[in-house]
Amino acid sequence: ELLQRIQSHGSVDVDSRSCERDSALSTKSLDERIGKMFGVLIGEHRGTGERVVLKAFSGQISGRWRVPGWVGPIPSLTHESAQYQSEREVIEELGRRIREMKARVESRSCGSDDPLLDEIAASRQEQRRRSRALQVAMWDSARVRNFRGEESGLQTLWNQNKDATAPSNIPSGFGDCCAPKLLNHAAATNVRPISLTEMWWGKSPPGAGKTSWQMYGSCEEKCSKILGFMLCGLDEVDTNEKDVDDQCGCTCD
């Protein structure tokens, strides 16, 4: 039903009026470039008993993390955040200054005695420090909640569950898939999941063999390292509801 709505509207911006839809979210981008996974979670609000339908897309869409009516990213600090943009401006300004100083050094004949060389080195060090700090801040803001009300950082979950040969750094896209987004939002908003489905739309990435409008299970490479924790407590919410546990194949120790 979700993909049919997207197709009929010709846009991922399905919750806006036709005159207000963002042209950047047209389905043409899905048809012309590598496609996207879309997910739907059907649940029930534990307080009111109201039926809840949540929807999410994997990663970004048309360069955006947030689209009205869709579950947003797990990290609170993303490229769209004011804090990120402010710090990036500082980092880019440092880069501009470094380029200017290098140009001045090249136009002079001081060689290795040029006093600007020390300033260039200091500016580069500051630029690297700020870049690393910003990356760490982004990952620190990526925290997920389970159905026991517990929270954990993505970096912690990766370190605990990664394969022995896997790198210590979180891989790109970790936590950006539909299932983690949907379950995190459900746990945070007191929604008991009943079912969760993920579907592909668009061209398949090279070698992935994905078929448009086909349903797929959660990925082994990344999601399996996080969903075990995220599903903890779901059986305590309702011992008769096993659909989501069975689909994801996750258990809680």
Side-chain angles (χ1 to χ4, degrees):
E1 181 181 346
L2 173 61
L3 296 190
Q4 290 173 345
R5 285 183 64 200
I6 294 173
Q7 185 179 49
S8 66
H9 286 80
S11 173
V12 176
D13 194 7
V14 294
D15 292 320
S16 297
R17 293 185 299 178
S18 58
C19 61
E20 298 175 342
R21 287 192 189 116
D22 191 333
S23 60
L25 298 173
S26 167
T27 54
K28 289 182 180 180
S29 63
L30 298 174
D31 296 328
E32 295 172 355
R33 299 195 291 268
I34 298 299
K36 183 69 58 178
M37 194 76 81
F38 293 89
V40 175
L41 183 150
I42 298 175
E44 180 181 89
H45 193 277
R46 294 171 63 188
T48 64
E50 178 184 4
R51 182 175 182 266
V52 177
V53 179
L54 304 174
K55 58 184 182 291
F57 49 82
S58 59
Q60 302 179 67
I61 194 160
S62 297
R64 304 182 186 186
W65 287 106
R66 296 174 177 84
V67 174
W70 295 78
V71 170
I74 289 175
S76 58
L77 179 60
T78 65
H79 302 84
E80 299 168 339
S81 306
Q83 178 185 346
Y84 177 91
Q85 293 177 1
S86 176
E87 189 61 21
R88 281 303 306 172
E89 288 178 3
V90 175
I91 293 169
E92 289 170 4
E93 174 60 20
L94 282 167
R96 186 189 64 79
R97 287 174 51 195
I98 290 169
R99 290 191 296 273
E100 287 182 351
M101 288 188 289
K102 286 178 66 177
R104 290 169 61 189
V105 168
E106 291 170 0
S107 68
R108 304 194 306 200
S109 57
C110 300
S112 59
D113 295 327
D114 196 312
L116 278 179
L117 292 176
D118 288 338
E119 191 171 346
I120 290 172
S123 296
R124 279 177 172 163
Q125 185 175 3
E126 176 66 5
Q127 186 184 42
R128 294 191 190 101
R129 185 192 67 78
R130 284 182 173 272
S131 295
R132 286 195 296 268
L134 182 57
Q135 185 62 58
V136 169
M138 292 177 71
W139 283 122
D140 284 348
S141 76
R143 300 189 62 79
V144 292
R145 177 189 291 258
N146 64 22
F147 294 92
R148 285 180 179 166
E150 301 166 334
E151 287 191 358
S152 180
L154 289 184
Q155 181 69 68
T156 299
L157 291 172
W158 173 254
N159 290 339
Q160 289 175 345
N161 300 298
K162 71 180 182 69
D163 298 332
T165 57
S168 58
N169 293 330
I170 296 177
S172 176
F174 187 59
D176 291 343
C177 296
C178 296
K181 284 185 176 182
L182 291 166
L183 290 170
N184 185 62
H185 188 82
T189 56
N190 207 26
V191 170
R192 176 178 64 88
I194 296 172
S195 64
L196 192 158
T197 301
E198 296 182 81
M199 302 150 286
W200 181 263
W201 177 330
K203 294 181 180 179
S204 174
K210 293 191 181 298
T211 302
S212 197
W213 289 52
Q214 178 68 43
M215 290 187 291
Y216 291 91
S218 300
C219 66
E220 174 68 24
E221 178 188 2
K222 298 172 184 175
C223 289
S224 65
K225 311 298 189 294
I226 186 175
L227 292 184
F229 171 83
M230 298 188 75
L231 290 168
C232 284
L234 185 57
D235 56 346
E236 300 163 13
V237 172
D238 185 345
T239 55
N240 295 319
E241 181 53 71
K242 296 295 184 182
D243 286 1
V244 176
D245 284 290
D246 292 342
Q247 176 181 324
C248 297
C250 299
T251 58
C252 178
D253 295 331

